[in-house]
Amino acid sequence: MTSARRVVGVLGGLGPAATLDFFAKVLAATPAVRDQEHLHLILDVDPGVPDRNDAVAGRGPSPAPELAAMARRLEGAGADFLVMVCNAAHAFQDAIEEAVTVPFVSIVDETVQATLASRPEVRCVGVLAAEGALDAGLYQRAFAAHDVVVVVPEGEDRDVFMELMYAIKAGDTGDTVRAGMLRLARLLAEAGAQVLVAGCTEVPLVLSQEVLDAEGLGLPLVNSTDVLVASTVAIGLGERPAHRAG
Amino acid sequence: MTSARRVVGVLGGLGPAATLDFFAKVLAATPAVRDQEHLHLILDVDPGVPDRNDAVAGRGPSPAPELAAMARRLEGAGADFLVMVCNAAHAFQDAIEEAVTVPFVSIVDETVQATLASRPEVRCVGVLAAEGALDAGLYQRAFAAHDVVVVVPEGEDRDVFMELMYAIKAGDTGDTVRAGMLRLARLLAEAGAQVLVAGCTEVPLVLSQEVLDAEGLGLPLVNSTDVLVASTVAIGLGERPAHRAG
C-alpha cells in the first residue's frame, strides 16, 4: 500500500488562499489518524507568477516561464505527479507539460469528467470562471467534446466576476461578495444551466452547495477544488493512475 | 522592497495539521491585497518522517536522515532560509544545519527570545511540550542561558500530554482534549510559571489566550507557532536577517 503512494507536487500561490483551501481539504479527505498515514505533498506557493487573466487578455506578460520553472522545481524535489490550484492558469498547461516528465493532472479535465460521471444526462452546464479561463475556452472546449453546451457570465457580468474574484483574493469573503457571486449563479441557471461548475478556485471560498440550496437555486454545484482534492488523494494513495482512459 | 524578499522553505508534515495552521497564519500575517504581494513559500509536507518523540526516547529510528533530505530538497528548490513546524524535531536541528548552507531559523530560539523580549522580568516559564522536546532539553537549555527556570509536566502528566497531542494529530480538537490541556496549563501555573509557552505546534490547535482567559488562568500564553509565523514573515519580507544578534 505505502509503496504505491505517490508524492504530490502542487503548483500553488495562484492565489495563496485557494492553495490553503486545497491543502486543508486534502488533509480532511485523507483517511489518516497518524501523521505517517498522510500523503507527502510538496507545495510551491509562488504568488509572484504574473496574473494569468491579464496574460490571456494580452494585457500582461505570460506566466508560462514561471509556471514551467515551478513545475521543474517540484519535479526536482521529488514530486511524482503535479496538480495546479488555479483554473485560469491551465491556459498555460502546455508549457508545464513540456517542462517536466511527470504527469500533470488537469483540474479542468478532472472537473469535466466528474461532472459527466455523476450526471451523464446533463446537456447544459453553467461555468463560473475567470476571464482567462473563459477566453482560453478551457471549459467550453472540454465540455464540447462531450456535446455539452456551456453558459458563462457575459458582457459586464464578466467584469463583475473579476471584481468579486479579486475581492476574494484580497481576503474579502463577506456577504456582499457572496451575494454578488449568487447573482451570477442565478443568471446561469436562468440561461439554462442544469449544473453549476465552480471553475475558479476562489469561487468555493464564498459559494457552496449549502449556500445555493439556502437561496433556493435548486442547482447542483460541482466544485473544481473539491474534484481536484478527490483526484489528488486517490492518485496520491495509489488508488488510480494519474491519467484515466477516455 | 521585492528584491530583499526571501523564499521560505518549510519543513512540514510533523504533523500536517500544524503545517496547515502555520500556512494559514503566515497568509493572514502578510500585508497583501494582491496574490503577488504574498511571500513565496515552499512547503514540504512529508508525514513519513519517523516519530520524533519515539526517536529521542530510543524507541524508534532517528528522523535525522529524512529531515536532512527534506532540508536539501527545499534548498535545491530555491529556499533562502528554512523553518520547521515542530518543536520536538528541533532535537535533530544539527543534522538539518549540516545538510544545507542556507540559514535554519529555530522555533525554540525564536520563542525564547520573543518571550523574554516581551517580558524581561520573567524568572519562571511553564512549557507545554512533547516528550521528545522535554527529554532533549530544548526549552530548558535555551531558557537556562537567560537564568530563567522552566517547569514542565512531570511523571504521568507527560504521558497525558502525549495522549492529548496524538489525539489532536488524529483530528480531535474537541472539548475533552481542550479540558485536558487546560488542566496541564493550570498545574504549571501552580508550579510557579509566570508565562506559559505552547512549545508544541499541536497545542495552539486547542489552546489560545482567549481560552486561558475564559478559564481565569491569568497567565500570558506565548504560542510558538505564532512566534515562528511572525519571524518567518519578517525574514521573508526582508525586514530582519534570519539570525539575530544575541
Side-chain angles (χ1 to χ4, degrees):
Chain A
M1 177 74 184
T2 304
S3 62
R5 288 184 168 224
R6 299 186 187 92
V7 178
V8 186
V10 181
L11 289 94
L14 319 156
T19 309
L20 178 69
D21 183 45
F22 173 81
F23 181 23
K25 286 174 172 166
V26 166
L27 294 189
T30 306
V33 292
R34 295 167 60 241
D35 288 356
Q36 287 76 7
E37 292 164 359
H38 276 281
L39 292 176
H40 184 177
L41 299 111
I42 307 174
L43 301 110
D44 197 332
V45 184
D46 185 359
V49 173
D51 189 291
R52 288 63 69 189
N53 298 290
D54 285 348
V56 172
R59 290 187 304 262
S62 169
E66 280 81 2
L67 294 175
M70 206 191 310
R72 276 190 294 266
R73 287 197 298 269
L74 288 166
E75 184 180 47
D80 294 317
F81 69 102
L82 303 179
V83 296
M84 180 159 62
V85 189
C86 173
N87 285 270
H90 282 66
F92 304 92
Q93 180 176 340
D94 288 353
I96 294 167
E97 293 188 310
E98 284 165 18
V100 294
T101 58
V102 293
F104 177 83
V105 178
S106 157
I107 192 172
V108 176
D109 292 346
E110 295 293 320
T111 299
V112 169
Q113 295 208 26
T115 304
L116 299 178
S118 64
R119 300 179 185 273
E121 76 288 359
V122 162
R123 298 269 61 86
C124 179
V125 169
V127 177
L128 283 176
E131 183 189 9
L134 298 184
D135 286 348
L138 300 178
Y139 277 97
Q140 298 93 319
R141 208 165 44 237
F143 275 115
H146 299 274
D147 295 322
V148 173
V149 173
V150 167
V151 290
V152 301
E154 300 287 354
E156 285 182 7
D157 285 326
R158 286 167 80 131
D159 301 331
V160 169
F161 179 90
M162 295 306 284
E163 285 165 22
L164 296 170
M165 186 194 79
Y166 284 118
I168 297 168
K169 282 179 183 286
D172 182 357
T173 54
D175 288 345
T176 307
V177 171
R178 176 171 290 112
M181 202 62 88
L182 268 170
R183 190 185 68 82
L184 296 180
R186 191 169 288 112
L187 287 176
L188 297 185
E190 289 167 6
Q194 300 161 292
V195 172
L196 186 67
V197 168
C200 167
T201 53
E202 268 78 27
V203 173
L205 302 182
V206 296
L207 222 60
S208 64
Q209 187 69 60
E210 291 68 35
V211 169
L212 288 183
D213 292 348
E215 291 289 315
L217 237 74
L219 204 64
L221 176 71
V222 178
N223 176 334
S224 60
T225 304
D226 288 351
V227 171
L228 190 64
V229 165
S231 300
T232 298
V233 171
I235 299 167
L237 290 174
E239 292 172 353
R240 56 158 273 208
H243 288 303
R244 297 190 273 211
Chain B
M1 176 73 184
T2 305
S3 61
R5 288 184 167 223
R6 300 186 186 91
V7 178
V8 186
V10 181
L11 289 94
L14 322 154
T19 310
L20 177 69
D21 182 45
F22 173 81
F23 181 23
K25 286 174 172 166
V26 166
L27 294 189
T30 306
V33 293
R34 296 169 59 242
D35 287 356
Q36 287 75 7
E37 292 164 358
H38 277 281
L39 292 176
H40 184 176
L41 299 110
I42 308 174
L43 301 110
D44 197 333
V45 184
D46 184 0
V49 174
D51 190 290
R52 288 64 67 190
N53 298 292
D54 285 348
V56 172
R59 290 189 303 263
S62 169
E66 280 81 2
L67 294 174
M70 206 191 309
R72 276 191 294 266
R73 287 197 299 269
L74 289 166
E75 184 180 47
D80 293 318
F81 69 103
L82 304 180
V83 296
M84 179 159 63
V85 189
C86 173
N87 285 270
H90 282 65
F92 304 92
Q93 181 176 338
D94 288 354
I96 295 167
E97 293 188 311
E98 283 165 17
V100 294
T101 59
V102 293
F104 176 82
V105 178
S106 156
I107 191 173
V108 177
D109 291 346
E110 295 293 319
T111 300
V112 169
Q113 296 208 25
T115 303
L116 300 178
S118 65
R119 302 181 183 270
E121 77 289 358
V122 163
R123 299 270 61 88
C124 180
V125 169
V127 177
L128 285 175
E131 182 189 9
L134 297 184
D135 286 348
L138 300 180
Y139 276 97
Q140 297 94 319
R141 210 164 44 236
F143 274 116
H146 299 275
D147 295 323
V148 173
V149 173
V150 167
V151 289
V152 301
E154 301 287 354
E156 285 182 7
D157 286 325
R158 287 167 80 130
D159 300 332
V160 170
F161 179 90
M162 295 307 284
E163 284 165 23
L164 296 169
M165 186 194 78
Y166 285 118
I168 297 169
K169 282 180 184 286
D172 182 357
T173 54
D175 288 345
T176 307
V177 171
R178 177 170 290 113
M181 202 61 88
L182 268 170
R183 190 185 68 83
L184 296 179
R186 191 170 287 113
L187 288 176
L188 297 184
E190 290 166 6
Q194 300 161 293
V195 172
L196 186 68
V197 168
C200 167
T201 53
E202 268 78 27
V203 173
L205 303 181
V206 295
L207 223 59
S208 65
Q209 187 69 60
E210 291 67 36
V211 169
L212 289 182
D213 292 348
E215 291 289 315
L217 237 73
L219 205 63
L221 176 71
V222 178
N223 175 334
S224 61
T225 304
D226 287 351
V227 171
L228 189 65
V229 166
S231 301
T232 298
V233 171
I235 299 167
L237 290 174
E239 292 173 353
R240 55 159 273 207
H243 288 304
R244 297 191 272 211

